[in-house]
Amino acid sequence: MNDGSTSGELADRLRPLLSRLSPGDRLPSSRELIKEYRVGPATVARAIAALAAEGAVVTRPGSGTYVAQRTRPRDEDSDTGAGTDWQTVALTDRAVDTHLIADPLGPSPAGTIPLDGGYVHRSLQPTRALSSALARAARRPDAWDRAPAGGLTALRTVFARIVGGSVAPQDVLVTAGGQSALSIAFRAIAGPGSPVLVESPTYPGALTAARAAGLRPVPVPLDSDGLRPDLLADAFAMTGARLLYCQPAFQNPTGTVLAPERRRQILDVARASGAFVIEDDFARHLGHGGAVPRPLVADDRDGTVVHVTSLTKPAAPSLRIGALVARGPVMERMRAVRLVDDFFVTRPLQEAALEVLSSPSWDRHVRSLGTALRERCAVLAAAVAQEMPGAALSGLPTGGLHLWVRLPPGVDDTVLTSAARQHGVAVSAGSRYFATEPPAAHLRLGFAATADHAELTQGVRRLGAALDHMIDDTVTVRTEAHPGRRP
């Protein structure tokens, strides 16, 4: 080994040594390991720490590192020892269904092109600004003090400014990302068993969070102008729902923007029904260079709208900072739910987010990100037209991270998703985005998670090959069943 070797490689080299030693035997000293494997002290320290975390060794300060006692693996099928069957009865029927947000095919093999991602590629993230901001935040004297339950006042002020209208800092509750905000809102606003109206199709994470809160999602169809107010009014009347979840800007998965004339109609229908509107504004910073519509909450006069926003999508997956915006007793209810959950969001992460948002570089990042997303969207759309002639785009979005693609008749989206994985490309089956039976087969294709344009094109080429293979198999089966017919 050499000085450039990683601690992981050293740990791998030490495991055979551990297997030859007995529990309680002492490992060579750090000085001996440095000399034998030609690595630095830091590499040895990290390797030993990794082995200790696995339970393979124990370290005794001032004495050395020793082989840990080996525990016999528990026999899952054995009747001896304490069992967990009793938990099946004790847990009753409150299972949390995560099939919509968990990949049923498991982790993608190496080399798979990700067209199913919901985050931007590392090359599109403001990594340097985030790292610098977090490093400075961690060095503050109060870095590890308890943060205010509602969030840092300065960060709430910035979120209020971004939302606009008459929103004030006291109307903002900082959360650990958008998904956490949705979970808080669903549990705070509606009781278990209540209906919640949702767009159809819609974000699977919202469906999962609503169901985990005991709510019953009721779909309301979209068209090219967004949620239909006429069908929304019917849905409120028929179900007695007191809650609507929607994404007015660059809707996931369709990319639709709620038409200007429908914005007031949606709020009027909800207000007349005595209902709240959860506005998921996840794509506020994901426009493709054009105008981004004002949030509904900015024009809300009656406290109807509960606004959800997040920095995760435009920045990085691990910047788990979001916010809830609302006025009136509903905010107090959400603060209470939030306090019970986890008291507060970690202070260094809030400080880092505040610094990044307050810097002029943030606006430059959003502009450059918008340009990159617009270019990638066009590349992906052109590739779909070239490689999947039987598929149809619902339209070219002006913001967001995805294309919504309708598949040819007779193609099963879940089967195609599995076949695509075998061809080296990961895509999202459209059926995941519907609360009930989908009207047609779709795929959601992402254009932000790949390394570059070439990878986007290659991914669609692989997807097209998988689709062609499926169609050829279907034609073959029909021909064999009816040999007298021409395909």
Side-chain angles (χ1 to χ4, degrees):
M1 298 180 71
N2 52 53
D3 289 338
S5 300
T6 67
S7 57
E9 291 172 336
L10 178 57
D12 289 340
R13 295 287 297 274
L14 292 176
R15 288 188 181 93
L17 172 63
L18 297 179
S19 67
R20 294 193 297 269
L21 297 175
S22 300
D25 285 351
R26 188 177 182 276
L27 267 68
S29 68
S30 295
R31 183 175 298 176
E32 291 170 324
L33 293 175
I34 290 169
K35 182 178 180 180
E36 180 176 354
Y37 293 101
R38 300 181 185 177
V39 294
T43 298
V44 170
R46 287 193 293 267
I48 294 298
L51 293 171
E54 297 172 6
V57 300
V58 292
T59 57
R60 299 171 188 167
S63 176
T65 302
Y66 297 83
V67 180
Q69 295 292 327
R70 299 186 179 96
T71 58
R72 184 172 60 88
R74 181 170 58 87
D75 185 356
E76 298 288 348
D77 298 323
S78 174
D79 292 331
T80 62
T84 59
D85 289 347
W86 65 272
Q87 294 183 3
T88 301
V89 178
L91 289 172
T92 67
D93 63 347
R94 289 304 308 276
V96 178
D97 186 358
T98 60
H99 80 278
L100 294 181
I101 56 175
D103 190 344
L105 301 177
S108 300
T112 301
I113 296 177
L115 299 185
D116 60 342
Y119 302 106
V120 297
H121 188 266
R122 190 176 303 158
S123 63
L124 301 177
Q125 299 169 14
T127 307
R128 181 175 298 178
L130 288 171
S131 299
S132 299
L134 187 58
R136 283 190 289 270
R139 291 195 295 267
R140 292 171 58 98
D142 59 352
W144 303 106
D145 291 351
R146 175 170 179 157
L152 299 179
T153 300
L155 182 57
R156 293 160 62 193
T157 300
V158 172
F159 273 123
R161 175 180 55 79
I162 292 173
V163 172
S166 60
V167 173
Q170 60 265 29
D171 302 325
V172 178
L173 174 64
V174 177
T175 65
Q179 189 66 25
S180 173
L182 287 177
S183 179
I184 292 170
F186 283 132
R187 286 180 290 141
I189 296 174
S194 302
V196 53
L197 306 186
V198 299
E199 298 161 320
S200 184
T202 192
Y203 167 51
L207 296 176
T208 298
R211 288 173 174 145
L215 309 185
R216 297 184 293 106
V218 177
V220 180
L222 300 167
D223 61 19
S224 59
D225 288 328
L227 192 63
R228 291 180 52 181
D230 56 335
L231 295 180
L232 179 64
D234 291 343
F236 273 124
M238 288 188 293
T239 65
R242 293 294 180 265
L243 180 60
L244 163 68
Y245 166 79
C246 63
Q247 305 164 85
F250 315 128
Q251 198 259 1
N252 178 9
T254 65
T256 302
V257 175
L258 186 64
E261 63 274 11
R262 292 189 180 182
R263 293 168 58 87
R264 190 70 245 171
Q265 294 175 30
I266 296 295
L267 295 185
D268 287 345
V269 168
R271 183 70 186 88
S273 302
F276 288 97
V277 175
I278 296 179
E279 176 190 25
D280 188 347
D281 198 29
F282 78 98
R284 168 72 21 197
H285 302 290
L286 300 176
H288 294 178
V292 179
R294 280 164 61 89
L296 293 180
V297 72
D299 300 315
D300 175 31
R301 302 185 299 269
D302 307 306
T304 299
V305 179
V306 173
H307 179 85
V308 175
T309 188
S310 172
L311 300 180
T312 304
K313 298 296 186 184
S318 283
L319 186 63
R320 306 302 300 175
I321 293 290
L324 283 161
V325 178
R327 291 189 292 270
V330 68
M331 175 53 89
E332 296 307 315
R333 180 75 61 84
M334 292 191 298
R335 284 197 184 106
V337 172
R338 166 61 214 292
L339 190 63
V340 169
D341 277 356
D342 56 6
F343 294 124
F344 57 89
V345 175
T346 178
R347 191 178 192 116
L349 205 56
Q350 290 193 61
E351 296 279 9
L354 173 61
E355 179 175 328
V356 170
L357 283 178
S358 303
S359 169
S361 65
W362 175 251
D363 289 335
R364 292 195 296 271
H365 165 69
V366 171
R367 288 194 299 272
S368 63
L369 177 62
T371 299
L373 293 177
R374 182 177 67 249
E375 293 172 352
R376 284 165 169 258
C377 180
V379 169
L380 183 62
V384 169
Q386 176 68 31
E387 305 293 340
M388 303 173 64
L393 292 177
S394 63
L396 203 61
T398 56
L401 307 173
H402 312 105
L403 292 180
W404 187 237
V405 181
R406 181 165 179 160
L407 297 173
V411 175
D412 186 304
D413 60 331
T414 58
V415 175
L416 178 56
T417 300
S418 179
R421 186 71 66 90
Q422 296 175 13
H423 280 72
V425 58
V427 296
S428 295
S431 53
R432 300 173 58 227
Y433 299 84
F434 291 91
T436 56
E437 298 83 0
H442 290 80
L443 293 180
R444 192 196 72 170
L445 304 182
F447 46 77
T450 57
D452 51 34
H453 293 183
E455 197 170 47
L456 275 176
T457 302
Q458 179 61 26
V460 178
R461 187 172 295 122
R462 294 179 183 182
L463 176 59
L467 178 59
D468 289 343
H469 186 73
M470 281 185 60
I471 293 175
D472 289 344
D473 285 349
T474 301
V475 171
T476 300
V477 169
R478 290 176 179 171
T479 303
E480 290 175 350
H482 305 281
R485 298 184 186 177
R486 296 186 60 183

